[in-house]
Amino acid sequence: MNIDMIDAAAARLKGHIRRTPLLNSPFLDEIAGRRVLVKAECLQVTGSFKGRGGWSAVSALDPDTCAHGVIAFSSGNHAQGVAFAARSFGAPAVIIMPSDAPRAKIDGTRALGAEVVLYDRANEDRDAIGARLADERGLTLIKPFDEPQVIAGQGTCGLEIAEQAAEMGVERGDMLVCCGGGGFTSGIALALEARAPGLRVRPVEPEHYDDVARSLASGRIETNRRAPGGLCDAIVTPRPGDLTFPIMSRLCGPGLVVTEDEAQRAMALAFRYLRVVAEPGGAVALAAALFHPGEVEGEAVIVTISGGNVDAGLFAQTLTRFSA
Amino acid sequence: MNIDMIDAAAARLKGHIRRTPLLNSPFLDEIAGRRVLVKAECLQVTGSFKGRGGWSAVSALDPDTCAHGVIAFSSGNHAQGVAFAARSFGAPAVIIMPSDAPRAKIDGTRALGAEVVLYDRANEDRDAIGARLADERGLTLIKPFDEPQVIAGQGTCGLEIAEQAAEMGVERGDMLVCCGGGGFTSGIALALEARAPGLRVRPVEPEHYDDVARSLASGRIETNRRAPGGLCDAIVTPRPGDLTFPIMSRLCGPGLVVTEDEAQRAMALAFRYLRVVAEPGGAVALAAALFHPGEVEGEAVIVTISGGNVDAGLFAQTLTRFSA
């Protein structure tokens, strides 16, 4: 993995993936006690940064392999990223999703033309289901994070952040990234190492699913004790990846952890002051900047809103409960 | 009014006002039956296009006049635009707002450092209140739309649309603009006349407040019979402006009218497919594109989401009632 792969992915993504804005609000600055710049990947095609990795991985396949089709496991955002890219390349896509994934994500993935196969998280083995389908149909597996071209695709977000932060006069500070398996975090870290070395990448996770923070602290891969689930489904994974962990270990500062309530409060503030829709997992980095200022360093902090695919009912409840 | 004034405003706005994205979604295209490009001015500083006009007008004042301060009448978006600009220039700002304006807008205006004076729409004469304050304190009135530098500022949005639509391969089609007094509509129309003459600007209004559509149809200024109010407060004015109407009359196609329910359905779809927050008045152009396709011409349509300053309670109700 290196910056050249990220630049190459950026060239493939051009014209297909959006350059999302780096937003800010004086009201958020006041809450955080420092400048807060928000990379709004909820405005990305498919509603999350996963559009980048999906496009990068599918566009890197040789045409014959691509024509046979692709398969992915996902609670929803990677699903839509892969489905979107596959449709654009005319490739069949099969997505294995947990049956309790958010409705908006299941519907969105189907509407993008993918075949969605639902499985029961508690009683079925998704890997076995996936292996059988891949074998029967000659599909290529697009892993959600532990895959070089996916990391390179997510890293294109880091290239944009480096440019946009410099335009806004920010060249030093913490860069907080919503973190699941580490594809987004490690991709951004590689991009910033080359293009904005004054920004220090730090993963942010929801409590009970802080495998990356604990792994960075101990220096070896730690796993979550809880089964995947919770409000922040988009960024909950059992453990960091074999490819992503060494990158994060080399480049990232300590991880931060927020509660689900803090993530929802951040969603309500992003609604009010940025007028964007964040999903719970997509709001954890903003929550860390706003509600854990003592754990952040520097005069400015940059955060990702990694996605905005949230069911209307949950969003309405969040506003009702957490708006001042 | 000419394109040079808009270019000059764009130069003054640079670095202070955001270049907002032109968003799209395959799902919205499907509903509308044509490509739909959405200029998301809800992502503008202060949450609406009014940040442009406010900055343009305040930045055009001579320093001595500016130092005495400014005054504006507004239900909220122009208020915040003027307050934001005044604060940046160190000028006092007094904003006269109706006491029934959305809470988010009153609070937002105060938080930007302006002195907010509330009046009762039914029983008080806001013009008299404003004239007295302006006289006592030497404040300069910044009119919400019938003011050349405000129109020039709103027109900078049109410059961006011309460039962004061309990048996306759209050079012909209807350009639907959420319309109150016509400052935004006429500013965009002037910009597109010079930079994207294949795009035809058309105002969109809520039913019962279709003064501009009727004025364009009759060829002379018509007034609304209902007193201002309703969900679409941001774009409800008694009549088109003396400066804006001749520009719209020369450059615009026929107006479109949507219901409040249609505006709220469009808000729910913008939430789901674009992950942005639209206020009711800011969603009327998208509503026209989605629910009145037979009244629109061309293979592609461009719409503005003009603002996103909406109370959390109303947004939550909208999602609950109008999400599929």
Side-chain angles (χ1 to χ4, degrees):
Chain A
M1 288 301 312
N2 57 46
I3 189 70
D4 295 339
M5 285 180 68
I6 300 176
D7 284 330
R12 295 199 304 280
L13 267 54
K14 199 171 160 60
H16 306 288
I17 291 293
R18 246 169 235 149
R19 183 182 178 87
T20 54
L22 191 62
L23 302 174
N24 68 312
S25 158
F27 304 111
L28 297 181
D29 295 352
E30 197 171 309
I31 296 169
R34 52 169 63 84
R35 279 182 80 186
V36 182
L37 307 183
V38 181
K39 182 65 170 169
E41 282 290 293
C42 48
L43 303 176
Q44 191 47 272
V45 289
T46 77
S48 87
F49 72 92
K50 294 282 192 178
R52 297 178 188 267
W55 190 278
S56 174
V58 173
S59 66
L61 296 174
D62 74 76
D64 193 50
T65 305
C66 185
H68 279 85
V70 294
I71 186 168
F73 304 102
S74 168
S75 77
N77 283 338
H78 178 57
Q80 291 178 81
V82 170
F84 166 73
R87 187 176 70 168
S88 302
F89 284 90
V94 176
I95 313 288
I96 319 272
M97 300 179 78
S99 52
D100 60 349
R103 196 77 231 163
K105 292 179 177 176
I106 296 174
D107 292 348
T109 306
R110 285 203 171 114
L112 286 166
E115 178 184 341
V116 172
V117 177
L118 297 176
Y119 75 97
D120 176 349
R121 284 193 212 241
N123 300 309
E124 289 187 280
D125 177 353
R126 71 171 201 179
D127 292 327
I129 298 171
R132 182 175 55 74
L133 285 167
D135 191 49
E136 282 172 13
R137 307 196 198 171
L139 305 171
T140 298
L141 175 67
I142 309 286
K143 291 193 241 176
F145 53 85
D146 229 18
E147 151 62 44
Q149 292 297 358
V150 169
I151 296 171
Q154 320 308 27
T156 63
C157 184
L159 300 180
E160 296 174 16
I161 291 168
E163 288 178 15
Q164 294 168 316
E167 280 167 19
M168 294 176 78
V170 174
E171 303 200 342
R172 302 198 68 77
D174 279 357
M175 165 80 234
L176 310 186
V177 182
C178 307
C179 186
F184 197 30
T185 307
S186 60
I188 290 176
L190 286 167
L192 296 189
E193 178 190 25
R195 301 288 156 76
L199 301 178
R200 175 177 67 157
V201 173
R202 301 178 62 185
V204 185
E205 295 165 294
E207 65 175 354
H208 309 305
Y209 300 102
D210 58 343
D211 50 302
V212 174
R214 287 186 292 107
S215 300
L216 289 174
S218 74
R220 61 191 179 81
I221 289 179
E222 310 278 352
T223 57
N224 288 318
R225 283 160 218 110
R226 289 206 185 183
L231 274 186
C232 300
D233 64 286
I235 58 164
V236 163
T237 47
R239 43 161 277 178
D242 293 324
L243 286 179
T244 60
F245 179 64
I247 299 169
M248 292 191 285
S249 191
R250 181 168 71 80
L251 295 173
C252 292
L256 294 154
V257 179
V258 304
T259 66
E260 289 189 346
D261 271 14
E262 288 172 333
Q264 287 186 281
R265 283 168 62 200
M267 290 168 67
L269 290 166
F271 159 85
R272 179 166 180 185
Y273 293 125
L274 302 175
R275 295 91 185 175
V276 297
V277 177
E279 59 184 90
V284 296
L286 178 59
L290 297 177
F291 310 127
H292 296 252
E295 297 170 47
V296 176
E297 286 178 16
E299 290 176 12
V301 60
I302 311 176
V303 307
T304 60
I305 290 183
S306 58
N309 292 316
V310 50
D311 284 340
L314 174 60
F315 198 79
Q317 282 167 29
T318 299
L319 292 188
T320 303
R321 193 169 150 215
F322 292 94
S323 290
Chain B
M1 288 299 313
N2 57 45
I3 188 70
D4 296 337
M5 283 180 68
I6 300 176
D7 284 330
R12 294 199 304 278
L13 267 54
K14 198 168 162 64
H16 306 287
I17 290 294
R18 251 171 229 147
R19 184 183 178 88
T20 55
L22 192 62
L23 302 173
N24 68 313
S25 158
F27 304 109
L28 296 181
D29 295 352
E30 198 171 308
I31 295 169
R34 53 169 63 85
R35 278 182 80 187
V36 182
L37 308 183
V38 181
K39 181 65 170 169
E41 281 289 293
C42 49
L43 303 176
Q44 189 48 267
V45 289
T46 77
S48 88
F49 71 94
K50 293 282 191 177
R52 297 178 188 267
W55 191 278
S56 174
V58 173
S59 66
L61 296 175
D62 73 75
D64 192 50
T65 306
C66 186
H68 279 85
V70 295
I71 185 168
F73 304 101
S74 166
S75 77
N77 283 338
H78 178 54
Q80 291 178 81
V82 170
F84 165 73
R87 188 176 67 168
S88 302
F89 284 90
V94 176
I95 313 288
I96 319 272
M97 301 181 76
S99 51
D100 60 348
R103 197 76 230 165
K105 292 179 177 175
I106 295 174
D107 292 348
T109 305
R110 285 204 171 114
L112 286 166
E115 178 184 340
V116 172
V117 176
L118 298 176
Y119 74 98
D120 176 350
R121 282 193 215 244
N123 300 309
E124 289 187 277
D125 178 354
R126 70 170 201 181
D127 292 327
I129 298 170
R132 182 176 53 76
L133 285 168
D135 193 47
E136 282 172 12
R137 307 198 199 170
L139 306 171
T140 299
L141 175 66
I142 308 286
K143 291 194 240 175
F145 52 86
D146 229 20
E147 151 61 43
Q149 292 298 358
V150 169
I151 297 172
Q154 320 308 26
T156 62
C157 184
L159 300 180
E160 296 173 16
I161 291 168
E163 289 178 14
Q164 292 168 318
E167 279 166 21
M168 294 176 77
V170 174
E171 302 199 343
R172 301 197 70 77
D174 279 357
M175 166 79 235
L176 310 185
V177 182
C178 307
C179 187
F184 197 32
T185 307
S186 60
I188 290 176
L190 286 167
L192 297 188
E193 179 191 25
R195 301 288 156 76
L199 301 177
R200 176 177 67 157
V201 172
R202 299 177 64 187
V204 185
E205 295 165 295
E207 66 175 355
H208 309 307
Y209 299 103
D210 58 343
D211 50 301
V212 174
R214 287 185 292 105
S215 300
L216 288 173
S218 74
R220 59 189 179 83
I221 288 178
E222 309 277 353
T223 57
N224 288 318
R225 281 161 221 107
R226 288 206 186 184
L231 274 185
C232 299
D233 64 284
I235 60 164
V236 163
T237 45
R239 43 161 279 180
D242 293 324
L243 287 179
T244 60
F245 178 65
I247 299 169
M248 292 192 285
S249 189
R250 180 168 71 81
L251 296 174
C252 292
L256 295 153
V257 179
V258 304
T259 65
E260 288 189 347
D261 271 15
E262 288 172 333
Q264 288 187 280
R265 284 168 62 201
M267 289 168 67
L269 291 166
F271 159 84
R272 180 167 179 184
Y273 294 126
L274 301 175
R275 294 92 184 175
V276 297
V277 177
E279 60 184 87
V284 296
L286 178 60
L290 296 176
F291 310 128
H292 296 253
E295 298 170 45
V296 175
E297 287 179 16
E299 291 175 12
V301 62
I302 311 176
V303 307
T304 61
I305 290 184
S306 58
N309 292 317
V310 50
D311 283 340
L314 173 60
F315 198 78
Q317 283 168 28
T318 300
L319 292 188
T320 303
R321 191 167 151 215
F322 292 94
S323 290

